[in-house]
Amino acid sequence: MKERIKQLLDEVSRMTATNTEELEALRIKYLSKKGEISQLFNDFRNVANEDKREVGQLLNQLKNAAQAQINTLKERFANQQETAQHTDLTRTAEPVKLGTRHPLSLVREEIIDIFGRIGFTVAEGPEIEDDWHVFSALNFPPEHPARDMQDTFFVERHANDVLLRTHTSSVQVRTMLRQQPPIRMVFPGRVYRNEAISYRAHCFFHQVEGLYVDKNVSFADLKQALLYFAKEMFGTETEIRLRPSYFPFTEPSAEMDISCLICGGKGCPFCKHTGWVEILGCGMVDPNVLRNCGIDPDVYSGYAFGMGVERIANLKYQVKDLRMFSENDVRFLEQFEAAY
Ligand code: PHE
């Protein structure tokens, strides 16, 4: 009998229930008139007299323990029910926080949109390229420094042919190989250059380049398209300035500045007191490039331009450190919530 009581004591101390029905079943099992503990009380009269004192105490202990455990479980269910009653199921849900567009996506889309309004469509190409599409077809001489490991990432160490594109001009090449003029397209995409990472340079960035090839395309057409772009992007007050420059794939070539947005051209630290900030490279497509891509330079001419998306985003949002664009710090990214 003592053994049985001890066993039940142990059982009772570990008893649990997941709902009120289970709890009631436990109560019946141990404490009802026909329950196990009541049975033991019935058997009590058969206990030898000298043991009665000890067994009686144990029995009472068991009964109290069972009752206490059942009461605790009961209380727990009561509390749960109370919280359930206080949940207002008709209340409107907390607003779900929408993500924000990345500033570079916003700017890229805006550039594409502006050129889209004057008939430019979009083409994309591979980031892993070969030498011919990135350099040779674009009239880079064999000894040009851009072909050096210092400037270009090569995918295979000992084969100088597979590399990460350093500009999206490679997509211009792919487009011209695929179709005859008229071609009027922009080429957005990520590009890679072997630069030390700092607040003003990164080993990858984004470009949107543009190409227009048709009969009688002139430098005046280029200038007008870029002036339109600058005014749409930065405001109608914006002025542009073209400075002679050099690229292997364009002749003549130019770099375009816009009047400084911050000081309106008067001169400030942002424009290094010149009143102008550089935003893109451009020029007339070199006849060699057209020829390399299967387009007759005696029939067609074209212009091309290329700009860095980070640079345009910097001008629009004055982000001082280029690295912010690729660090995915939500405190930075959240600021563009209302931008589109
Ligand atoms: N491909 C040039 C660069 O990456 C930009 C450019 C494009 C310049 C087209 C002129 C014409 O720097």
Side-chain angles (χ1 to χ4, degrees):
M1 179 116 173
K2 269 193 261 173
E3 279 312 303
R4 178 73 188 132
I5 295 174
K6 283 192 182 138
Q7 196 188 338
L8 281 178
L9 256 176
D10 186 49
E11 234 179 88
V12 156
S13 70
R14 280 187 282 118
M15 129 181 122
T16 76
T18 50
N19 55 41
T20 40
E21 285 84 57
E22 273 180 41
L23 184 62
E24 180 58 9
L26 287 174
R27 193 193 64 79
I28 292 169
K29 181 166 185 240
Y30 294 107
L31 292 173
S32 67
K33 276 220 166 81
K34 292 207 167 118
E36 301 203 25
I37 296 173
S38 314
Q39 287 296 322
L40 288 175
F41 271 101
N42 287 340
D43 295 344
F44 184 63
R45 59 185 125 89
N46 302 330
V47 173
N49 269 348
E50 63 267 33
D51 289 339
K52 273 204 156 75
R53 202 180 135 89
E54 193 193 348
V55 174
Q57 274 176 355
L58 273 175
L59 261 180
N60 277 328
Q61 196 188 335
L62 172 63
K63 191 181 164 186
N64 292 340
Q67 192 63 61
Q69 182 71 357
I70 283 175
N71 286 347
T72 327
L73 291 171
K74 205 182 257 173
E75 228 165 85
R76 196 184 300 162
F77 289 131
N79 283 344
Q80 272 173 10
Q81 247 168 15
E82 207 168 300
T83 32
Q85 273 160 9
H86 284 132
T87 308
D88 177 2
L89 296 176
T90 62
R91 207 184 73 184
T92 40
E94 295 285 336
V96 177
K97 212 163 184 294
L98 293 177
T100 58
R101 292 268 224 141
H102 194 281
L104 293 180
S105 301
L106 293 172
V107 172
R108 182 195 56 211
E109 291 311 308
E110 195 173 348
I111 298 169
I112 291 174
D113 198 58
I114 291 171
F115 283 104
R117 296 203 283 271
I118 52 170
F120 284 76
T121 55
V122 178
E124 289 179 321
E127 293 182 14
I128 300 176
E129 266 291 5
D130 53 48
D131 176 281
W132 193 80
H133 288 92
V134 176
F135 299 127
S136 300
L138 288 160
N139 207 34
F140 279 79
E143 70 284 2
H144 194 282
R147 293 175 171 224
D148 193 29
M149 297 270 272
Q150 301 289 304
D151 297 289
T152 301
F153 287 115
F154 292 90
V155 173
E156 284 168 49
R157 232 169 191 291
H158 301 293
N160 283 6
D161 199 39
V162 186
L163 44 86
L164 297 181
R165 66 181 179 196
T166 58
H167 51 187
T168 58
S169 304
S170 51
V171 193
Q172 304 197 23
V173 172
R174 287 181 177 276
T175 303
M176 287 189 279
L177 288 167
R178 210 174 35 230
Q179 74 178 81
Q180 283 294 306
I183 297 169
R184 187 156 33 193
M185 282 186 180
V186 284
F187 311 93
R190 182 175 292 169
V191 301
Y192 301 84
R193 291 183 195 178
N194 194 355
E195 307 241 14
I197 297 169
S198 72
Y199 74 98
R200 53 196 291 268
H202 213 298
C203 58
F204 63 81
F205 60 99
H206 301 79
Q207 286 189 322
V208 178
E209 296 209 346
L211 174 71
Y212 176 35
V213 186
D214 203 346
K215 288 177 180 155
N216 302 316
V217 176
S218 71
F219 202 94
D221 296 327
L222 170 63
K223 186 181 170 192
Q224 197 55 39
L226 293 179
L227 178 63
Y228 157 78
F229 166 73
K231 287 182 182 294
E232 290 292 298
M233 189 80 202
F234 302 108
T236 46
E237 306 295 297
T238 312
E239 291 177 54
I240 64 166
R241 171 174 93 168
L242 289 163
R243 280 179 292 105
S245 185
Y246 172 78
F247 300 102
F249 36 88
T250 46
E251 183 60 36
S253 305
E255 270 165 329
M256 184 172 103
D257 301 338
I258 57 166
S259 49
C260 180
L261 298 165
I262 314 285
C263 61
K266 284 198 269 311
C268 69
F270 188 78
C271 58
K272 301 199 189 76
H273 303 282
T274 61
W276 298 95
V277 281
E278 185 196 318
I279 65 159
L280 56 81
C282 60
M284 300 306 291
V285 181
D286 194 292
N288 286 339
V289 174
L290 293 176
R291 208 174 289 116
N292 289 342
C293 297
I295 293 173
D296 185 350
D298 295 327
V299 182
Y300 296 107
S301 57
Y303 66 68
F305 57 85
M307 67 188 93
V309 180
E310 278 82 350
R311 180 142 190 90
I312 309 285
N314 266 343
L315 284 172
K316 265 190 102 77
Y317 302 124
Q318 272 118 61
V319 179
K320 296 211 172 61
D321 188 336
L322 209 62
R323 291 170 291 198
M324 299 293 278
F325 288 123
S326 49
E327 277 172 358
N328 281 338
D329 184 333
V330 284
R331 291 167 301 180
F332 169 68
L333 297 175
E334 270 171 0
Q335 298 176 70
F336 301 92
E337 194 157 25
Y340 236 42

